[in-house]
Amino acid sequence: QVQLVESGGGSVQPGGSLRLSCAASGRRVFSIKDMGWYRLAPGKERELVASITDGGSTNYADFVEGRFTISRDNPQNNLRQEMNRLRPEETAIYCCYARTRFVTIVESKGVNQEYWGQGTRVTVSS
């Protein structure tokens, strides 16, 4: 119903920058409410990096410390994240997610669904 395709990952030196993108498509793309980025690093659990609502409100993890900026296009639902001053410990797979909410016709109830991209690898090393 929603497909997410990430791009923009790669290798960068410590202190460098990368721009991640996530393109959303599918039948439920216009039902997307929240979008964001999670990351999975070796030896760590998956953690939220940043999120943004359909109204443009943003939320960042504490470790971001002002270094990242998340944004999106509406109604296209293309997600972007500018990451600056990257650190080696931030080497990880960065995954795009989207949450949709819609009301079913038959049951007339709200339904939340989550969708995930395959991820894009970010490597920060000297």
Side-chain angles (χ1 to χ4, degrees):
Q1 295 177 329
V2 173
Q3 295 80 46
L4 304 173
V5 180
E6 303 100 331
S7 62
S11 297
V12 65
Q13 294 182 341
S17 300
L18 286 173
R19 182 182 180 183
L20 305 181
S21 298
C22 175
S25 62
R27 185 170 64 89
R28 293 293 185 185
V29 66
F30 295 110
S31 296
I32 293 176
K33 301 301 179 182
D34 303 326
M35 300 187 74
W37 295 93
Y38 281 77
R39 70 185 185 188
L40 181 61
K44 298 182 179 180
E45 297 183 355
R46 186 174 63 182
E47 60 184 352
L48 175 69
V49 179
S51 64
I52 183 170
T53 69
D54 54 341
S57 297
T58 59
N59 179 61
Y60 297 94
D62 290 340
F63 59 75
V64 170
E65 298 177 338
R67 297 175 297 124
F68 302 167
T69 301
I70 189 171
S71 61
R72 65 189 290 184
D73 294 330
N74 290 309
Q76 291 78 19
N77 293 300
N78 293 318
L79 184 70
R80 294 175 297 278
Q81 180 165 280
E82 183 74 27
M83 304 189 297
N84 302 310
R85 303 192 302 278
L86 285 163
R87 303 161 180 167
E89 61 266 28
E90 292 175 315
T91 295
I93 301 295
Y94 286 73
C95 297
C96 175
Y97 88 92
R99 180 182 67 85
T100 63
R101 180 173 177 82
F102 59 92
V103 178
T104 62
I105 297 177
V106 177
E107 300 179 359
S108 187
K109 64 185 298 183
V111 176
N112 291 314
Q113 296 283 350
E114 291 185 351
Y115 300 89
W116 294 87
Q118 295 300 308
T120 184
R121 181 178 295 275
V122 171
T123 302
V124 185
S125 66
S126 58

